[in-house]
Amino acid sequence: MGKLDNRIIVSTGASRGIGYFAALQMVREGAHVIAIARTVGGLEELDDAAKELPGSLTLVPMDVTDYEAIDRLGGVIHERWGRLDGFFANAGILGPVSPFAHVGTKDFDRVMAVNVTANWRFIRSFDALFKASDSARLLFMTSGATSPIKPFMGPYTMSKAALEA
């Protein structure tokens, strides 16, 4: 029996790196993981790696800045499971590494959209689902870049500090 048997958990950024291995571990512990990532091939590799494990996966290829898709996903989770026991907010981007005054508006907005706004939208969409769980847990992946502040990483540092707040 796994620590996460029968738990429904959403995990973003699940196609590679920390997100991939975290999702795989949650499946290993018996959870049903709703794995979200832009990279379909990475999600398929995760699915292949999880085939013999106790838990299961639902693959959701999407960009976390597709806010309407986040809202639709909340509706689908509500219809299928009626609750959400966990949220691992791992999706994130570094953005430009340059003097802050040189960062373009589109680049700044993209970093904030992925690293901050998407997480707010997930919380907003999943709020009733978390409340329906007997023990919902939310975990947000931040960064050591917020303290001490690293030069040339303004948008990333700001976004992770906002996420910590």
Side-chain angles (χ1 to χ4, degrees):
M1 187 162 188
K3 295 177 189 176
L4 299 175
D5 281 349
N6 302 313
R7 294 295 182 178
I8 310 300
I9 302 171
V10 167
S11 182
T12 65
S15 65
R16 62 179 176 241
I18 293 169
Y20 174 93
F21 289 104
L24 197 58
Q25 184 62 33
M26 288 183 266
V27 172
R28 186 174 285 117
E29 292 293 339
H32 179 80
V33 176
I34 301 164
I36 299 172
R38 292 178 299 163
T39 310
V40 174
L43 288 173
E44 290 171 344
E45 289 174 15
L46 175 64
D47 192 45
D48 290 342
K51 289 272 190 243
E52 303 300 319
L53 298 177
S56 56
L57 286 168
T58 295
L59 305 180
V60 181
M62 68 179 249
D63 186 315
V64 296
T65 62
D66 184 346
Y67 305 135
E68 290 77 24
I70 291 172
D71 292 340
R72 287 191 304 272
L73 180 61
V76 169
I77 293 170
H78 175 74
E79 288 174 14
R80 184 159 180 198
W81 293 286
R83 73 176 204 285
L84 191 55
D85 303 303
F87 178 54
F88 180 53
N90 178 68
I93 60 171
L94 177 61
V97 178
S98 70
F100 194 63
H102 297 184
V103 175
T105 302
K106 284 185 180 179
D107 289 331
F108 181 85
D109 288 347
R110 179 75 179 155
V111 171
M112 296 305 282
V114 172
N115 296 357
V116 181
T117 307
N119 288 304
W120 164 69
R121 290 296 294 249
F122 277 112
I123 292 169
R124 190 181 89 157
S125 181
F126 296 165
D127 185 56
L129 296 165
F130 294 137
K131 289 175 180 173
S133 172
D134 64 353
S135 182
R137 298 289 187 260
L138 288 69
L139 178 64
F140 298 88
M141 185 59 72
T142 63
S143 170
T146 60
S147 180
I149 295 172
K150 312 286 189 285
F152 306 115
M153 295 179 64
Y156 180 77
T157 300
M158 288 175 70
S159 71
K160 292 303 183 170
L163 192 56
E164 287 179 7

